[in-house]
Amino acid sequence: MREFLLGRLNAHALPHEWFTIGGTIGFILLPLLALAVLVRIKGWKWLWGEWLTSVDPKRIGIMYFIVAGFMLIRGGMDAIMIWLQQALTAGNAHGYLGATHGYLSADHFQQIFTAHGNIMVFFVAMGFIFGLINFIVPLQIGARDLASPFLNTLGFWLYVGGVVMVNMFFGIGGEYAATGWLAVAPLSETQFSPGVGVDYWIWSLQISGIGTTIGGINFIMTILKMRAPGMSLWKMPMFTWGSLCSMLMVVTVFPLLTATLFLIFFDRYLGMHFFTTNLGGNAMMYTNLIWMWGHPEVYILILPAFGVFSEVVATFSRKSIASYTSQVLGMIGVTVFALSVWLHHFFTMGAGADVNAFFGVMTMVIAIPTSVLVFGWIATMYKGRIRYTVPMLWFLGFIGIFTIGGMSGVLLAVPPADFQLHNSLFLVAHFHSTVIGGVLFGVFAGLNYWFPKFAGFRLNERIGRSAFWCWIVGFCLSFIPMYILGIMGATRRLDHYDASTGWQPFYILMLIGGLVIATGVALQVIQIIASVIQRRQLADFTGDPWDGRTLEWATISPPPSYNFAVIPNVTTRDAFQEFKERGGLPQAKYKDIRVPYNTASGIYIAAFAFAASFAFVWHIIWLAVAGILGVIICVIVRTFNDNIEYTLTAAEIENAERSRKKHILPKKTEEGEDMSLWEFIKIAVTWGLGFVGLKRRVHGS
Amino acid sequence: MSKNRKRRSPSSIVGRILAALSALALVVTLLLQGNNIALFNSKGMIAHEQRNLMILTVGILLAIAIPTLTLFFFTAWRYRESNSNASRASSNHHSRLLVPVIWFTPCVVAVALAMIMWPAAHRLDPKKSISADGKSLTIQVVSMRWKWLFIYPEQHIATVNFAQIPIHTPIHFELTADEAPMSSFWIPNLGGQLYSMTGHMNQLNLMGDMPGDYTGSSAEINGAGFSGMKFTTRVSSKDAFDAWVRGVSLSGNALDTAGYDRLLKPTQNNSHTFYWLSESDLYDKVLMKYMGHNDDMHMMNMGMH
Amino acid sequence: MEADHELGGHEAASDDRVGFGFWVYLMTDLLMFTVLFATFAVLRNNTFGGPTGRELFSLPAALSETLILLTSSFTAGLGMLAARRGSKNQVLTWFGVTYLLGIAFLALELREFTAFIHEGHTWHSNASLSSFFTLVGAHGLHITLGLLWMGITLVFIWVRGLDSHLIRKLTLLSLFWHFLDIVWIFIFTVVYLMAFV
């Protein structure tokens, strides 16, 4: 009976080691506590009605940012733990906290870097990018919403389901996959990974992956079918192009991941033999399938970042992007060729020279459109009037670091060179250079650039600059030694190594670099807080703080729920720049618009899907059936519900616009410089002392 | 906003000092490591050629990257808003030369690299036997959890985590695995790596050209004992090799099926062990374990790897 | 030209969007099937000593399933024509026939599966059977979900009568049904026919 109810769950699954207890407190209890505090302050109705059930892509975008930011902290802490282990663990140095080497057992160390990789790729990078696309793309194309608001909220909550799954193992189960971020077979089969770790891996990726596919379909529908009249494809802004190309790749390759995850799930759950070592299984098939998804995935991440940089360079050089056609063709070229290079991830698996050489050459080919983009940015800056705001600084950092990453990638694409460099720290340095230097810096540039649009005030530039420099210095300290270690023959994922290799000084340098990066992240958090404190001084009253060129700057900051009171007619690229030169947006008649209701069906469907996934991990059949039935029923209820929109009349829109115009001019303008870090520290200390003092006064009296 | 930029803030000065110090620290540490840069410290013909190929590729890449980055940062500096000396664009039109140049230049580099890469990939194909004066030596390798078993079929000996090879002799490694996930057989001083997988036989050809002891490892994660899965390759003279083989054959340790099955059990950090081979077709038996009775395709593929 | 996202052209634009989105979804589903096909192609001979497809499959049964499914696509097409004409009874009739044919297909498939399992050829036996059961089973699962969708839609049509929303659902459903038919043609060819080559 107990087995029927609980499957393979037992008391041993509850946290009983220092890291599972710590993880439960830090990543399950603390967020729940923060949520409880929020509900206490603002009320549950506010949270539920304004945010959780919202179908407004601007709200959903902000929620993506918050979750992704939280996971960035978690992934970063994983990174520090990895560096710490590797810095401590040379040779026969004695172990701490019960470990033989360093302070982590080999198995635990392997779980940490697996979680680190999954979290950064699936939940941080994808989260931030989906947030940016949600908020900005409809504004850029002159639309009010995405094609399907329901699919948007569903996709978001499936993503959250994946996030919960990847944090939940701390509290129930105590282990994650220890196989590396892609859980290559046959290591991920039950024969070699008997615990629940790989099952948590499968389902956290499966749920969020399906959410991503749904989002991809939705964004494609939106960009292809909902652009403002007159905006042909060839007049779209670069960020929208990057998003379109990225989402086309999403719908092409995420189904491959979904299918592959099902196959490894069937092997583990139903005893099938797709990738097992025995009875005819073919583990090499897994490697091929997973990388057919895995390589396009990294281009899925980088193309929107390229789009962000194109916007930033154009705006802050006060010029339109040079050779728009080449830039777009470059992005399309990357999209097409991304599907033809996957084997370069396993040159060393033993395909013949012809196959290896072919994929090596295709990898060279894909470097061509990327270079075209870089030259295009140089041409944009040429004879421009460049302003060095924080987003522009992130762009400069990107060029430096991404170029190094790109070059190391081309070196890795030469099969005989790869035979020496595969799975070394050189490889790890390569992909961190491209993903951090490209994707993450792109996200940071985008967040700083569009923050005034999100919040109504811009971010503090001084602290932003300090954060940037910490990231650059920290990155160099962390990853230049890593390139060197790779050439010295250091393999990735080692939990200990001989002191005689001479690697330890470099690992220590890397740890210091990691701490500098952590300081940079702390400064970014401080930047946001300091900007909130100074928001009246930093306020954006015009909606166009940077003298932008594209349509999102044509709205007030933050935009009203319907984005544009009247959808503009577009005639050129850089539509907003054109309007400004002509003397402003044309005044048109207000019309009634259809607005979607908020809906909780996304939450319910995702909750049932999560329940079913949890049941699959722990072999609880009744819960799996209930979860699947729940999903099906909720989908039926939602799709057969015809009452999903209401009308916002022209009169209501006109009133909203009029009352908003009254408040556009500030009642009180404040002048002054952006707060410095020192000033922030003084404010924080004063507030802290006051908080404590206040309590003492209340109790004392 | 521009007011903030003019003044050198303390944090940016600290940042610059930090950056300079780190660069210095890196250079110093690097200089202390002369001997340990394995990929440049080639002790075998394959590693030597791979190293030269890497240096050539990096050279070509730098030849394009350095001018590009220089042009980039120069452009970024020259056309900053505060610089009134630079001429500014009057319209948004760009020179007609721009598009051909930005497409042509990367194409040229890509073609050059591809023309180097294609023959190199064939020349350095791991399957390709090395032609040299001496007779070649075949070593069959089985990766297990978490150790390497070396079988010398012609010498009828076997070793764990240790392989001795004669100098200037082409070595033909036949790699497979047993009851283990994929591993990657790698001796960085002698050449590149190749995967060892259950049910498959991969061929890796290497040669040692300088005497010494070189560390090998698994470059692919395969479980908890992954980091300890190291082995030593000793390159010695032909005479020393023959003497070593004789010594091992005369040792009391026999490796039969029972002994092999004991070895299969997961263990970590195994020390060097030496056996003489009492079952001469041990390796073939290992491969056959993973073949079905009518898996014709598989049998054919075996020879193709 | 005025923006037509406002009330006037809203319905038509919305239908167009949903239809397009559904096509994109069908493509993603096709890609998932592609993985299953590719896996089957690689693993079909990895029987590890067990029986091959030639020994197991019954071509007449597979042919019957094919003909049943092809006919059901035809009747679904007739049902769609009736829907365009606005004839509720004809819609119910033709899609009812489609439904029954779908049930017949599933019954035949289940009979094949249970026969194999009784003889001891399960998805545990070897990689070839794993990939067979997964590919054909995935298709059968899609048919089942399609029948569920069809059943509920028909009930709504019976109760509410034909309206534009339900016609739109029928359109998407018939797209789905035809898609599954095409996938089956490939399964019939690759799995069954090619086993006998």
Side-chain angles (χ1 to χ4, degrees):
Chain A
M1 181 60 187
R2 205 209 66 133
E3 209 182 296
F4 172 74
L5 269 183
L6 294 176
R8 294 185 185 174
L9 263 179
N10 54 41
H12 190 74
L14 291 171
H16 54 271
E17 289 166 277
W18 65 266
F19 38 86
T20 42
I21 295 176
T24 308
I25 297 176
F27 300 110
I28 301 180
L29 297 179
L30 273 182
L32 286 175
L33 184 65
L35 213 58
V37 167
L38 190 62
V39 170
R40 186 83 169 82
I41 299 177
K42 291 282 226 166
W44 174 249
K45 273 181 81 172
W46 171 85
L47 186 65
W48 184 257
E50 288 290 311
W51 288 94
L52 300 184
T53 57
S54 170
V55 293
D56 183 347
K58 299 184 287 298
R59 291 279 158 99
I60 294 180
I62 305 267
M63 290 196 286
Y64 266 115
F65 293 150
I66 294 174
V67 178
F70 165 65
M71 291 307 270
L72 176 63
I73 310 259
R74 158 115 191 250
M77 284 178 63
D78 282 335
I80 303 274
M81 288 180 77
I82 295 172
W83 273 313
L84 188 59
Q85 167 75 9
Q86 294 185 315
L88 283 178
T89 180
N92 295 324
H94 79 99
Y96 309 92
L97 293 175
T100 326
H101 304 273
Y103 70 105
L104 296 169
S105 68
D107 176 63
H108 185 206
F109 178 72
Q110 292 170 352
Q111 289 179 37
I112 293 181
F113 63 67
T114 307
H116 168 80
N118 282 128
I119 287 170
M120 289 307 199
V121 172
F122 283 89
F123 303 116
V124 177
M126 294 300 288
F128 276 126
I129 284 173
F130 268 56
L132 283 175
I133 299 181
N134 255 300
F135 204 113
I136 298 296
V137 166
L139 287 169
Q140 281 201 333
I141 61 175
R144 295 221 155 83
D145 201 335
L146 294 195
S148 170
F150 160 64
L151 287 183
N152 199 11
T153 172
L154 176 61
F156 171 71
W157 285 106
L158 286 172
Y159 161 80
V160 170
V163 168
V164 172
M165 183 72 71
V166 89
N167 282 302
M168 168 172 249
F169 71 82
F170 283 122
I172 307 182
E175 68 168 285
Y176 193 62
T179 54
W181 78 290
L182 285 181
V184 168
L187 182 58
S188 49
E189 292 280 353
T190 322
Q191 179 184 14
F192 302 117
S193 294
V196 293
V198 174
D199 299 302
Y200 269 118
W201 177 87
I202 291 175
W203 288 103
S204 59
L205 265 53
Q206 186 75 297
I207 318 181
S208 66
I210 293 176
T212 306
T213 310
I214 291 175
I217 300 177
N218 208 1
F219 291 134
I220 292 174
M221 280 200 282
T222 310
I223 295 175
L224 291 184
K225 294 283 179 183
M226 292 176 69
R227 297 189 305 282
M231 186 183 279
S232 67
L233 282 177
W234 232 244
K235 298 200 182 78
M236 293 197 311
M238 292 301 297
F239 178 67
T240 305
W241 263 114
S243 306
L244 176 65
C245 292
S246 171
M247 292 304 118
L248 285 170
M249 271 199 285
V250 163
V251 300
T252 310
V253 300
F254 264 83
L256 306 181
L257 176 69
T258 308
T260 311
L261 288 175
F262 271 124
L263 295 182
I264 183 83
F265 166 66
F266 289 156
D267 270 3
R268 291 178 63 87
Y269 198 84
L270 294 175
M272 296 206 190
H273 290 288
F274 289 103
F275 315 118
T276 54
T277 56
N278 61 342
L279 292 177
N282 188 341
M284 295 201 295
M285 184 86 202
Y286 180 94
T287 308
N288 272 279
L289 288 172
I290 207 75
W291 278 114
M292 276 190 217
W293 165 82
H295 189 84
E297 163 70 359
V298 307
Y299 290 110
I300 288 170
L301 295 179
I302 197 74
L303 283 178
F306 284 162
V308 171
F309 286 126
S310 292
E311 304 283 356
V312 165
V313 173
T315 303
F316 293 112
S317 305
R318 298 196 199 271
K319 272 182 73 193
S320 64
I321 197 84
S323 181
Y324 178 94
T325 311
S326 288
Q327 294 259 318
V328 171
L329 287 177
M331 284 187 178
I332 294 176
V334 170
T335 309
V336 167
F337 287 114
L339 299 161
S340 68
V341 299
W342 78 89
L343 197 128
H344 70 221
H345 295 272
F346 46 95
F347 282 138
T348 56
M349 201 157 76
D354 283 333
V355 173
N356 279 353
F358 169 77
F359 279 97
V361 169
M362 292 313 292
T363 313
M364 297 292 163
V365 168
I366 207 173
I368 297 175
T370 319
S371 315
V372 167
L373 288 169
V374 173
F375 289 128
W377 289 320
I378 298 179
T380 309
M381 290 193 301
Y382 178 69
K383 292 203 173 171
R385 287 197 305 281
I386 307 173
R387 296 171 281 161
Y388 283 106
T389 55
V390 169
M392 202 58 182
L393 283 180
W394 285 113
F395 170 67
L396 294 181
F398 152 73
I399 292 287
I401 293 178
F402 188 79
T403 306
I404 299 176
M407 288 204 298
S408 56
V410 173
L411 178 60
L412 286 162
V414 179
D418 187 66
F419 295 153
Q420 287 278 51
L421 293 169
H422 177 64
N423 271 350
S424 68
L425 286 179
F426 188 90
L427 169 70
V428 177
H430 154 72
F431 64 70
H432 280 93
S433 305
T434 44
V435 176
I436 295 183
V439 182
L440 201 58
F441 281 17
V443 163
F444 292 156
L447 288 174
N448 272 277
Y449 179 55
W450 282 307
F451 192 89
K453 188 55 58 181
F454 303 150
F457 55 92
R458 61 168 179 80
L459 284 173
N460 181 310
E461 287 275 304
R462 286 173 80 170
I463 300 179
R465 265 197 288 281
S466 309
F468 166 73
W469 284 111
C470 277
W471 265 96
I472 294 287
V473 169
F475 183 88
C476 291
L477 262 179
S478 301
F479 291 96
I480 294 180
M482 206 184 278
Y483 279 112
I484 297 173
L485 273 179
I487 301 178
M488 288 170 72
T491 305
R492 70 193 292 203
R493 297 171 169 166
L494 292 175
D495 58 276
H496 68 269
Y497 51 88
D498 279 335
S500 62
T501 55
W503 296 340
Q504 191 172 28
F506 291 100
Y507 278 118
I508 295 177
L509 270 177
M510 280 159 55
L511 175 63
I512 297 175
L515 294 172
V516 175
I517 293 180
T519 313
V521 175
L523 285 174
Q524 286 172 305
V525 174
I526 291 176
Q527 181 194 25
I528 297 177
I529 302 175
S531 309
V532 172
I533 295 175
Q534 277 194 306
R535 62 189 177 280
R536 264 180 269 281
Q537 177 185 320
L538 299 170
D540 166 28
F541 296 114
T542 59
D544 181 21
W546 310 118
D547 195 17
R549 314 177 70 84
T550 41
L551 272 182
E552 73 268 27
W553 303 109
T555 59
I556 58 165
S557 300
S561 63
Y562 45 80
N563 286 354
F564 300 92
V566 177
I567 307 280
N569 281 314
V570 166
T571 52
T572 58
R573 286 174 204 155
D574 286 351
F576 183 52
Q577 180 69 14
E578 168 80 9
F579 286 136
K580 281 193 286 192
E581 279 165 12
R582 277 205 261 130
L585 274 168
Q587 196 42 266
K589 277 183 48 166
Y590 296 119
K591 292 174 131 182
D592 288 352
I593 58 177
R594 298 285 285 170
V595 178
Y597 284 118
N598 282 359
T599 175
S601 33
I603 302 179
Y604 296 145
I605 294 175
F608 278 115
F610 176 82
S613 309
F614 181 78
F616 285 131
V617 171
W618 290 102
H619 295 247
I620 308 173
I621 313 259
W622 68 265
L623 184 59
V625 171
I628 295 174
L629 278 178
V631 170
I632 294 178
I633 293 175
C634 285
V635 168
I636 293 173
V637 167
R638 168 69 197 193
T639 50
F640 280 86
N641 176 7
D642 290 332
N643 183 25
I644 55 175
E645 293 176 323
Y646 64 95
T647 309
L648 196 61
T649 61
E652 286 170 313
I653 299 178
E654 194 172 349
N655 275 337
E657 292 290 297
R658 280 231 192 91
S659 61
R660 206 182 321 274
K661 281 195 170 67
K662 282 204 205 114
H663 290 131
I664 276 194
L665 288 172
K667 298 200 182 82
K668 172 183 166 196
T669 341
E670 293 176 26
E671 278 302 322
E673 291 191 356
D674 289 4
M675 193 187 297
S676 75
L677 181 59
W678 178 233
E679 284 160 13
F680 175 82
I681 294 175
K682 282 193 284 195
I683 292 177
V685 168
T686 317
W687 180 85
L689 288 177
F691 186 71
V692 170
L694 200 68
K695 284 190 89 168
R696 213 181 281 143
R697 233 180 292 144
V698 169
H699 285 287
S701 64
Chain B
M1 242 189 288
S2 52
K3 281 189 286 189
N4 294 334
R5 215 174 24 85
K6 287 255 160 74
R7 245 195 355 250
R8 281 273 160 81
S9 63
S11 60
S12 95
I13 294 179
V14 167
R16 280 160 228 260
I17 295 176
L18 209 58
L21 276 176
S22 341
L24 193 62
L26 265 169
V27 170
V28 167
T29 325
L30 184 58
L31 289 172
L32 295 172
Q33 300 303 328
N35 272 341
N36 283 347
I37 306 182
L39 265 64
F40 289 155
N41 225 347
S42 39
K43 307 287 189 193
M45 186 189 100
I46 302 289
H48 191 75
E49 292 197 28
Q50 285 167 335
R51 185 197 78 169
N52 291 344
L53 181 62
M54 284 194 270
I55 293 176
L56 175 62
T57 309
V58 172
I60 295 176
L61 289 170
L62 285 177
I64 178 125
I66 293 181
T68 307
L69 284 176
T70 312
L71 177 65
F72 177 88
F73 285 109
F74 174 74
T75 310
W77 171 78
R78 180 172 170 79
Y79 291 101
R80 65 195 187 284
E81 194 162 38
S82 54
N83 181 11
S84 42
N85 292 333
S87 62
R88 292 327 216 264
S90 51
S91 71
N92 278 328
H93 292 119
H94 53 79
S95 146
R96 237 179 273 160
L97 267 182
L98 179 69
V99 171
V101 166
I102 65 178
W103 281 97
F104 187 66
T105 323
C107 281
V108 164
V109 177
V111 167
L113 286 171
M115 284 174 59
I116 296 173
M117 180 205 300
W118 189 276
H122 284 81
R123 197 174 63 241
L124 290 167
D125 183 9
K127 274 204 287 288
K128 197 153 151 287
S129 304
I130 300 172
S131 53
D133 289 334
K135 204 170 84 88
S136 71
L137 169 68
T138 302
I139 303 180
Q140 294 162 335
V141 182
V142 183
S143 63
M144 310 172 172
R145 282 182 291 168
W146 281 280
K147 51 219 171 265
W148 299 92
L149 175 68
F150 296 90
I151 299 174
Y152 291 71
E154 292 146 23
Q155 287 77 12
H156 303 289
I157 58 171
T159 58
V160 170
N161 284 346
F162 182 88
Q164 184 152 342
I165 59 177
I167 196 170
H168 299 314
T169 311
I171 313 290
H172 179 80
F173 288 104
E174 294 180 349
L175 308 171
T176 191
D178 198 358
E179 284 190 22
M182 293 187 190
S183 303
S184 187
F185 182 82
W186 192 31
I187 314 171
N189 288 106
L190 294 187
Q193 61 189 280
L194 199 59
Y195 278 13
S196 58
M197 305 174 282
T198 52
H200 293 273
M201 194 250 298
N202 265 345
Q203 301 176 46
L204 176 64
N205 287 278
L206 296 175
M207 189 160 80
D209 291 316
M210 284 187 68
D213 282 1
Y214 308 118
T215 317
S217 64
S218 170
E220 172 75 16
I221 184 175
N222 51 23
F226 160 60
S227 306
M229 196 161 154
K230 302 238 182 315
F231 65 95
T232 305
T233 310
R234 175 168 294 164
V235 177
S236 70
S237 68
K238 188 84 177 55
D239 293 331
F241 173 74
D242 291 334
W244 173 76
V245 170
R246 264 197 309 277
V248 172
S249 321
L250 296 173
S251 76
N253 255 343
L255 186 62
D256 53 8
T257 316
Y260 178 83
D261 288 339
R262 271 196 303 277
L263 263 185
L264 266 184
K265 296 204 195 328
T267 53
Q268 300 187 29
N269 303 311
N270 290 54
S271 45
H272 305 168
T273 331
F274 305 90
Y275 308 89
W276 63 274
L277 206 57
S278 63
E279 302 254 358
S280 55
D281 58 349
L282 189 58
Y283 190 72
D284 291 333
K285 284 217 191 87
V286 169
L287 282 172
M288 290 308 297
K289 243 204 247 184
Y290 295 95
M291 307 278 163
H293 301 306
N294 58 352
D295 277 337
D296 305 322
M297 298 283 280
H298 240 155
M299 300 285 288
M300 272 164 40
N301 282 338
M302 246 176 68
M304 300 289 186
H305 276 295
Chain C
M1 200 181 80
E2 303 268 300
D4 67 336
H5 301 299
E6 324 302 5
L7 211 46
H10 186 77
E11 282 289 322
S14 162
D15 274 358
D16 175 47
R17 246 178 276 143
V18 171
F20 175 71
F22 195 74
W23 270 105
V24 179
Y25 155 69
L26 281 181
M27 291 302 106
T28 66
D29 215 353
L30 183 63
L31 281 158
M32 276 197 276
F33 271 109
T34 308
V35 170
L36 299 182
F37 273 106
T39 308
F40 181 80
V42 169
L43 295 178
R44 71 183 308 159
N45 289 322
N46 289 19
T47 57
F48 211 77
T52 59
R54 186 188 227 121
E55 292 153 31
L56 280 178
F57 300 147
S58 148
L59 217 42
L63 190 59
S64 314
E65 290 172 29
T66 310
L67 290 172
I68 289 175
L69 219 54
L70 277 172
T71 313
S72 73
S73 260
F74 179 65
T75 54
L78 289 175
M80 277 318 297
L81 286 174
R84 300 253 178 273
R85 282 197 304 273
S87 160
K88 166 177 155 182
N89 284 331
Q90 291 227 326
V91 167
L92 288 175
T93 315
W94 285 119
F95 272 102
V97 173
T98 310
Y99 193 92
L100 290 173
L101 289 171
I103 301 276
F105 172 87
L106 279 182
L108 280 177
E109 194 157 271
L110 272 170
R111 201 175 77 166
E112 182 188 33
F113 281 12
T114 39
F116 289 167
I117 294 172
H118 272 304
E119 291 162 25
H121 308 305
T122 67
W123 50 85
H124 305 144
S125 307
N126 55 53
S128 175
L129 282 168
S130 296
S131 56
F132 167 77
F133 277 104
T134 304
L135 172 58
V136 181
H139 177 267
L141 185 63
H142 278 75
I143 294 278
T144 311
L145 289 172
L147 288 177
L148 178 66
W149 184 4
M150 197 183 295
I152 298 181
T153 312
L154 291 177
V155 167
F156 267 82
I157 292 177
W158 186 37
V159 167
R160 272 198 210 166
L162 273 178
D163 66 30
S164 63
H165 287 267
L166 287 171
I167 293 181
R168 183 170 88 181
K169 287 207 190 334
L170 273 183
T171 313
L172 298 181
L173 173 60
S174 62
L175 267 179
F176 188 63
W177 198 255
H178 295 312
F179 163 75
L180 287 178
D181 197 13
I182 296 175
V183 172
W184 177 258
I185 303 291
F186 278 97
I187 292 181
F188 179 61
T189 312
V190 171
V191 175
Y192 293 97
L193 283 182
M194 279 173 67
F196 291 92
V197 161

